[in-house]
Amino acid sequence: TMNVFRGLSLCFFGGYILLLIQPLTAAYTFAPNQTLTCALLVTNTTASTLAASENRFSMVLSPQASSLPQTIAALPAGGTLDISGKVTGLNVKLGEYLAKEAGIPFRLLAYRMPDSLFGTTDSVLQLRHVFGELGPESGIDCLVDSIFLTEERREITSFLAPHVLYSYQVVTLRRRKAQTAVWAKILTMFTPFNEWVWGWIMITVLCSSLVYYVLERKENDLDFGEPTIAENLWNSLFFGFATFTQLITYAPRTPVGRLFYLSYTFFILVVLSSYTANLAAFFGKKDVIEGAESLKDLLAKKLCVAKQHPSHRQWVSEHLPATKIVQVDSVKSIMESVRDGRCAGGLSTDLHLRGAFLLGDFCDLTLQGQPLNLGYYAIPFRYIRTAPSYSINSPEAYDALNTLLVRALSSGALLDLLTLYMPPNPTALLCKDTADEESDGDDVTTLTFYDMAGIFAIHALLTVFVIAL
């Protein structure tokens, strides 16, 4: 449903922009000497991102460019390197598509940020540097990093038409059946009562056996006909425990003994009924399901957010004030922290999270709930209002590129490209046999040998002990 909604949203949004800019671009023709030059900003994390060639959402190295991360990492501050054909990815392919449709070459540069910005992940500072401090003489027309649109960023530079709808989403552990230890199954028969109840039952039986002996020892030859006190006490204790089975019981003779026996049997009745009722519940209990069932389960708990996305952290602070934020190094670190239990969940855009599923085996995680907000990603572009029409940065060229992009989006020409680099459901592609693990546990469990092993073990031990005597 959400994918259909997003597709319709992009089509309507694209069609609206197309109607607005069509009159301005119908007569524009790109010149053969024009070139669309985009840049990959090199920071302290770029080399490692490129090395993670499985990350299709971001950038992927071409097979012949395995040494490129080291080369890029060695660039001096302010240095550039032509990496055309050596790196691919959604926005690179998008730039190549626009250039091809316009009939002009596409060029991709790696630009090493100055030392003062080398470690920053603040998009505002990056945009101000590239489109403000560098100026058009740098030759950089656009960036291959998608940036979601905000008013502050629009004031710094222009953007091509939005091409991806994004939202914030939360990743959590996949709901699954809890694993029960074998020893816990063996001790299932003892679970209806806690240790304190079992202790008080034993004390009550011992004391009741002693009291019954005191009350009946002189007039009850049937229960206490043994020659020694020790043997009669043993008989009383035996009858006290055997009465639980209702197969062997006391035979009181005195009025006070009979009154006491009524009280004792009522005690046994309550204990047995409580025990059997709880034991049936424990034996037939549903499987325990671990993992968050909804976003409400994560409120007031720890939520991981990537350091490189300060806007994500700000959104959590504003909309989930009771949630404790834990900052981690990257979106992949979010996935690892959720798996390790450092955080109950992790928040990022659905695009980043879906891409992170491609970075490792995260089939034990899942995207939780509905998207939390909506926005658009777009490619930053150098728009110069006073540039002559033959410049790629001119209003005419800018509008023409937007027309090509919107037409591609509204016609579905980029659908395969978007699906390839941002699979809507990566877990369905990468993870198998997850349906059973997500069972809601409504079925009653079948008893196993381990569930009943406790009573078998006790009876076997007592049998061996009796034989040994």
Side-chain angles (χ1 to χ4, degrees):
T1 302
M2 182 53 62
N3 290 333
V4 173
F5 171 74
R6 292 184 174 188
L8 292 174
S9 298
L10 283 175
C11 289
F12 283 123
F13 188 76
Y16 175 72
I17 295 180
L18 183 60
L19 290 175
L20 292 178
I21 64 178
Q22 178 69 30
L24 301 175
T25 61
Y28 187 81
T29 302
F30 288 90
N33 62 340
Q34 290 177 316
T35 300
L36 180 61
T37 302
C38 288
L40 169 66
L41 300 185
V42 178
T43 64
N44 58 350
T45 61
T46 304
S48 60
T49 302
L50 287 174
S53 57
E54 300 88 356
N55 186 2
R56 292 188 296 174
F57 167 68
S58 184
M59 301 293 168
V60 184
L61 292 173
S62 300
Q64 66 273 20
S66 58
S67 61
L68 186 61
Q70 293 79 11
T71 305
I72 288 180
L75 281 174
T80 60
L81 177 68
D82 193 326
I83 56 174
S84 302
K86 297 180 180 179
V87 175
T88 187
L90 173 61
N91 293 328
V92 176
K93 287 292 186 182
L94 191 59
E96 293 174 349
Y97 174 86
L98 290 176
K100 181 180 178 181
E101 291 296 308
I104 59 177
F106 176 77
R107 187 179 179 216
L108 181 61
L109 298 178
Y111 171 73
R112 204 277 200 183
M113 297 291 285
D115 292 338
S116 58
L117 299 175
F118 187 64
T120 185
T121 57
D122 191 327
S123 297
V124 171
L125 296 178
Q126 294 175 344
L127 292 176
R128 284 175 178 168
H129 172 72
V130 174
F131 296 103
E133 298 173 9
L134 289 184
E137 59 274 10
S138 65
I140 298 176
D141 305 315
C142 58
L143 301 180
V144 291
D145 292 323
S146 287
I147 297 177
F148 59 84
L149 298 177
T150 65
E151 290 302 320
E152 183 179 15
R153 291 164 183 174
R154 287 177 182 272
E155 293 176 359
I156 299 173
T157 188
S158 299
F159 289 82
L160 293 179
H163 60 283
V164 175
L165 183 68
Y166 82 92
S167 65
Y168 289 138
Q169 203 157 11
V170 173
V171 62
T172 67
L173 282 172
R174 183 182 298 278
R175 300 193 75 219
R176 57 193 176 184
K177 296 179 181 179
Q179 298 296 320
T180 304
V182 172
W183 65 267
K185 287 181 173 290
I186 293 176
L187 297 177
T188 300
M189 60 172 295
F190 297 107
T191 53
F193 298 143
N194 64 25
E195 60 275 13
W196 286 98
V197 175
W198 282 115
W200 279 107
I201 290 175
M202 295 301 166
I203 292 173
T204 302
V205 172
L206 290 173
C207 293
S208 298
S209 300
L210 179 60
V211 171
Y212 183 77
Y213 171 72
V214 172
L215 295 175
E216 293 283 319
R217 70 184 188 282
K218 294 181 179 180
E219 300 183 26
N220 193 339
D221 294 336
L222 182 61
D223 289 339
F224 305 115
E226 301 299 332
T228 65
I229 295 178
E231 289 176 317
N232 287 324
L233 283 174
W234 173 253
N235 282 345
S236 183
L237 184 61
F238 169 71
F239 286 133
F241 281 100
T243 302
F244 275 93
T245 68
Q246 300 298 307
L247 298 177
I248 301 176
T249 63
Y250 289 119
R253 298 290 182 87
T254 64
V256 69
R258 290 172 180 173
L259 182 61
F260 175 78
Y261 184 62
L262 285 175
S263 175
Y264 181 61
T265 53
F266 181 74
F267 163 77
I268 291 175
L269 176 65
V270 173
V271 170
L272 285 178
S273 59
S274 301
Y275 176 79
T276 53
N278 280 354
L279 186 63
F282 273 97
F283 276 159
K285 67 180 179 180
K286 300 175 182 178
D287 291 321
V288 177
I289 305 298
E290 297 177 331
E293 185 175 3
S294 67
L295 185 61
K296 292 181 180 178
D297 295 339
L298 303 177
L299 298 179
K301 295 183 179 179
K302 293 181 180 179
L303 199 65
C304 278
V305 177
K307 295 178 181 178
Q308 66 198 70
H309 299 139
S311 56
H312 300 181
R313 185 169 64 254
Q314 180 180 355
W315 189 91
V316 174
S317 300
E318 293 177 356
H319 295 85
L320 303 173
T323 302
K324 183 177 180 180
I325 300 174
V326 177
Q327 297 187 59
V328 295
D329 293 333
S330 63
V331 179
K332 183 180 180 181
S333 298
I334 290 178
M335 312 289 277
E336 295 169 343
S337 297
V338 172
R339 168 186 286 169
D340 297 341
R342 183 182 175 190
C343 299
L347 180 136
S348 187
T349 67
D350 55 346
L351 307 180
H352 284 96
L353 291 175
R354 293 207 304 264
F357 274 100
L358 304 172
L359 293 176
D361 183 7
F362 294 114
C363 292
D364 53 343
L365 304 181
T366 186
L367 297 181
Q368 183 65 252
Q370 294 296 318
L372 303 178
N373 73 324
L374 296 175
Y376 290 96
Y377 272 107
I379 294 178
F381 186 84
R382 189 185 300 279
Y383 171 82
I384 304 176
R385 187 177 299 275
T386 58
S389 60
Y390 57 81
S391 169
I392 195 67
N393 305 120
S394 66
E396 295 85 357
Y398 173 72
D399 291 339
L401 288 174
N402 273 321
T403 300
L404 294 174
L405 178 54
V406 171
R407 281 176 178 170
L409 291 171
S410 59
S411 66
L414 297 179
L415 183 60
D416 291 341
L417 185 64
L418 294 171
T419 303
L420 172 64
Y421 287 97
M422 293 179 300
N425 189 1
T427 55
L429 299 176
L430 303 174
C431 308
K432 306 298 181 182
D433 301 326
T434 57
D436 292 339
E437 295 180 6
E438 292 185 320
S439 170
D440 57 7
D442 286 338
D443 297 329
V444 175
T445 59
T446 301
L447 299 184
T448 67
F449 170 76
Y450 293 114
D451 294 322
M452 303 296 296
I455 189 63
F456 290 115
I458 289 176
H459 185 62
L461 290 174
L462 288 176
T463 302
V464 171
F465 177 74
V466 171
I467 294 175
L469 295 177

